[in-house]
Amino acid sequence: MIEIIDLHKSFNGLNVLKGVNLTIANKELNAIIGKSGCGKSVLVKHIIGLIKPDKGKILIDGVDITAVSAEEVDKIREKLGVVFQGGALFDSMTVFGNVAFPLREKTKLGKKEIREKVLTALEDVGLGSAGKKYPAEVSGGMRKRVALARALITEPKIVLFDEPSTGLDPIILHAIHRLIIDTHKKYGFTGVVISHEIPEIFDIADRVAMMNDGVIVEAGTPEDIKNSANPYVRQFITGALEGPIESLA
Amino acid sequence: MERFLRILGEWALSMLRKMGHIFLFLLNSIYFIFIPPFKFKVLLRQIRFFGNKSLVVILLTGAFAGMVLAIQLYYTLRKFGSDALLGPAIALTLIRELGPVLSALMVTGRAGSALTAEIGIMSITEQIDALTAMALNPIRYLIVPNIVAAMMVFPLLAAIFDLTGIYSGYIIAVNLLGMSEGTYFAQIETFVEMADIRQGFYKSLSFGVIVSWICCYKGYHTVYGAEGVSRSTTEAVVMSSVSILIWDYFLGSVFL
């Protein structure tokens, strides 16, 4: 379980997170939606422990990662898989090398076992024949799938998806969402998906939280969010220019 | 006046903070040099990156540095009737000074800039964050192998630079300036001491640390996309080159 309690963060005097409170239950697929720049990615970086908050707590399975040593944060990170916004694949390695990397570095598996696991993971994301290609040689959608395979290869308890479908065409977007659902069913991880893909995100998430201006303004099931009377939520899901959210802020 | 002092104070504090940050980066890297697991494969790749790929430029610059020295020193020494000392003059200049400095400057331009750009791109494309997210320490994985590789490769490249320079100087001295073959090398043997070679070695070893440290630091802290990579690369090359010359003076005055 992930509990985010009163999380604050500012950069050079600009308050990005202004008291985020959110609870993410085990094995659920949670979506965090909100307009660009509202602090979603900063929130994910806090969960990974890449950024220290100014105030507040992040409890992962009861351990406050903001208050423990670097070694203990690393132990928590071993439970995490992360799909970064741009994939964050290592340019110098092939697709196979990228997916095999966490196994080579973090486990004592032999070459044969690693090869089998990687090929299975690549098959799972529909990239069985792309292993020898380099990240620069594959499309944006393929890079996201490689990143997904890499994030899942160690079978983590928690997987964070930072805008996994941004910049993709509608068909690839649905394919990525389908993959997230399928892999969630197969591996049973707790998922956090940062997205602003409306309405597609409602089809994949068990729960949705809407973030605006550094705080969670509403959280609930996709149905709750769709039927919410909250003016921020209404404006965001309808994409209206008029409303409490500044359209060009 | 008060405003001026405030600005000056803020600038001084900011500089101190930056310097502290840079030194902490080095201390952190040195700490992880001695903490297993060691990344031997990455180390070998970086030795190749610094060494093998810089070899041609080192051979070329070493050869021309030796030839220029032969002509210029012969002209000067002949005025004092000491042209027989051309061999040791070239050898000492190269071994004590030009070999370590010029080879370090060349490697900075070729490998240092590439290193900053590579780590910089890794930084802006979240590859460094990805390493951290996998509970892999990026300092251990990315920075330490570069610093160790540079410490191993810089003295070797300086030695190759020295030898190339001495032999190219020999070719000019014997074939163009009419010196006898025996005089050139015999005098080198007489005048070049182990202490001179040791000085050159220490210099190039420390240049290896300086260049890899600065280039890694600049790359690691790259922000703001392609423009940021360009800025980091330029700053890394300028800062490394200036630091090489300042440190060279400092070491030279200590050794002398």
Side-chain angles (χ1 to χ4, degrees), chain A residues 181-195:
Chain A
I181 296 170
D182 291 348
T183 50
H184 179 243
K185 272 186 194 152
K186 184 175 174 184
Y187 296 101
F189 54 76
T190 304
V192 180
V193 186
I194 301 292
S195 180

Side-chain angles (χ1 to χ4, degrees), chain A residues 71-106:
Chain A
E71 288 76 19
E72 283 172 277
V73 173
D74 271 349
K75 276 185 195 162
I76 297 286
R77 283 181 185 138
E78 285 174 3
K79 296 180 182 178
L80 300 180
V82 185
V83 179
F84 284 90
Q85 214 172 95
L89 301 179
F90 302 120
D91 303 321
S92 57
M93 295 177 197
T94 60
V95 164
F96 184 96
N98 265 283
V99 181
F101 184 75
L103 293 178
R104 286 176 179 154
E105 294 295 328
K106 302 300 294 181

Side-chain angles (χ1 to χ4, degrees), chain B residues 114-128:
Chain B
L115 179 65
T116 306
E118 188 183 332
I119 296 178
I121 288 169
M122 288 188 78
S123 175
I124 61 167
T125 55
E126 296 181 309
Q127 292 176 51
I128 293 179

Side-chain angles (χ1 to χ4, degrees), chain B residues 16-169:
Chain B
L16 272 175
R17 207 166 22 241
K18 274 183 193 166
M19 282 172 68
H21 203 231
I22 294 176
F23 276 102
L24 278 177
F25 185 82
L26 178 66
L27 289 179
N28 201 11
S29 307
I30 290 171
Y31 170 75
F32 280 110
I33 289 177
F34 303 102
I35 306 292
F38 305 110
K39 301 291 168 195
F40 288 114
K41 269 191 184 172
V42 190
L43 175 64
L44 287 175
R45 196 178 67 210
Q46 292 317 107
I47 288 174
R48 184 173 175 272
F49 171 77
F50 273 112
N52 187 28
K53 291 185 173 178
S54 303
L55 202 57
V56 173
V57 75
I58 290 296
L59 288 171
L60 205 64
T61 47
F64 279 97
M67 288 194 274
V68 169
L69 275 177
I71 291 168
Q72 292 301 331
L73 287 174
Y74 180 77
Y75 175 76
T76 310
L77 290 170
R78 209 175 61 172
K79 286 194 168 180
F80 301 103
S82 311
D83 47 340
L85 295 176
L86 182 63
I90 292 173
L92 285 172
T93 310
L94 283 170
I95 291 168
R96 290 173 62 96
E97 192 61 47
L98 287 187
V101 172
L102 284 182
S103 61
L105 290 174
M106 289 299 129
V107 181
T108 301
R110 205 218 61 81
S113 55
L115 179 65
T116 306
E118 188 183 332
I119 296 178
I121 288 169
M122 288 188 78
S123 175
I124 61 167
T125 55
E126 296 181 309
Q127 292 176 51
I128 293 179
D129 285 348
L131 280 172
T132 311
M134 290 174 201
L136 293 167
N137 187 323
I139 297 283
R140 188 205 300 275
Y141 193 83
L142 281 180
I143 311 304
V144 167
N146 279 301
I147 292 179
V148 176
M151 284 169 72
M152 293 165 85
V153 167
F154 272 58
L156 281 172
L157 288 176
I160 292 168
F161 189 100
D162 294 346
L163 283 176
T164 314
I166 291 168
Y167 271 100
S168 61

